[in-house]
Amino acid sequence: MLKLAKEANTILFDYRVPLQNGYDNCGVEVENPLQMNGLPISVYAPETVGCVVVDSEGRCAAATSTGGLMNKKCGRIGDSPLIGAGTYACKVCGVSCTGEGEAIIRGTLAREVAAVMEYKGLGLEEAVEYVMEHRLDGGKAGLIAVSSSGEVAYGFNSNAMFRACATQDGFMEVGIWE
């Protein structure tokens, strides 16, 4: 598994920090009785949710849903769910990405994992490591992936990435940091 370390003076962004004015994106105040950490849930940025699966016959699937960046411009679309950029599945693997969508699009990260597996002959973990080190041209991003043989890998270059893994035989793992 991989977590790429950055220099100590790198600025890390946490998009889950509530807005200062209590408004969500597009400047619209939202009333919501739900609370998290004593604050209305509407002041938190929505998170990306990704899922990759493989069935008993080795068929992979991937899906990604994003809330986008906090304080994004009105009308800005989510980048992570774009097929090939942040979401991809084929005969060798399924990949779902999260992070700064512009960097994910420029690197077509999800498709690149599959491409280096197909054309360089790398295993899933090595492909994820290669893509995170050589195809991500700046920006913070992370990804989860599963191969057609059931191998699981992830990579991220931020301070944390929430993730979980479960198998049909009962194995379960949850992670935030390394």
Side-chain angles (χ1 to χ4, degrees):
M1 302 302 170
L2 167 75
K3 180 190 182 295
L4 300 175
K6 290 292 181 184
E7 294 177 11
N9 62 357
T10 300
I11 298 172
L12 300 176
F13 295 98
D14 186 351
Y15 296 110
R16 295 181 309 273
V17 176
L19 293 169
Q20 296 300 315
N21 63 9
Y23 290 61
D24 71 355
N25 58 353
C26 299
V28 178
E29 188 170 4
V30 177
E31 294 294 327
N32 192 326
L34 297 176
Q35 291 198 349
M36 184 167 80
N37 298 324
L39 295 170
I41 197 82
S42 62
V43 302
Y44 286 90
E47 298 287 336
T48 299
V49 177
C51 180
V52 292
V53 297
V54 60
D55 69 11
S56 61
E57 296 180 23
R59 295 177 294 209
C60 297
T64 310
S65 173
T66 184
L69 298 176
M70 182 176 279
N71 297 326
K72 65 183 176 271
K73 291 183 179 182
C74 291
R76 183 180 184 275
I77 64 165
D79 303 320
S80 299
L82 294 175
I83 302 301
T87 306
Y88 191 76
C90 63
K91 64 182 179 180
V92 296
C93 67
V95 182
S96 178
C97 300
T98 185
E100 297 173 8
E102 289 78 6
I104 292 169
I105 290 172
R106 285 191 305 268
T108 59
L109 295 188
R111 171 63 185 130
E112 280 295 307
V113 172
V116 297
M117 288 180 73
E118 289 180 83
Y119 302 122
K120 286 186 170 281
L122 299 180
L124 183 66
E125 193 168 333
E126 295 80 18
V128 167
E129 183 175 335
Y130 180 86
V131 168
M132 291 300 294
E133 289 179 7
H134 300 287
R135 296 293 189 251
L136 185 58
D137 66 350
K140 301 291 181 201
L143 62 86
I144 57 172
V146 65
S147 72
S148 60
S149 63
E151 183 183 14
V152 175
Y154 65 89
F156 58 97
N157 68 353
S158 59
N159 56 345
M161 183 178 80
F162 292 84
R163 62 200 179 278
C165 175
T167 63
Q168 68 183 17
D169 62 2
F171 172 80
M172 288 186 273
E173 180 180 54
V174 176
I176 300 174
W177 298 278
E178 297 183 37

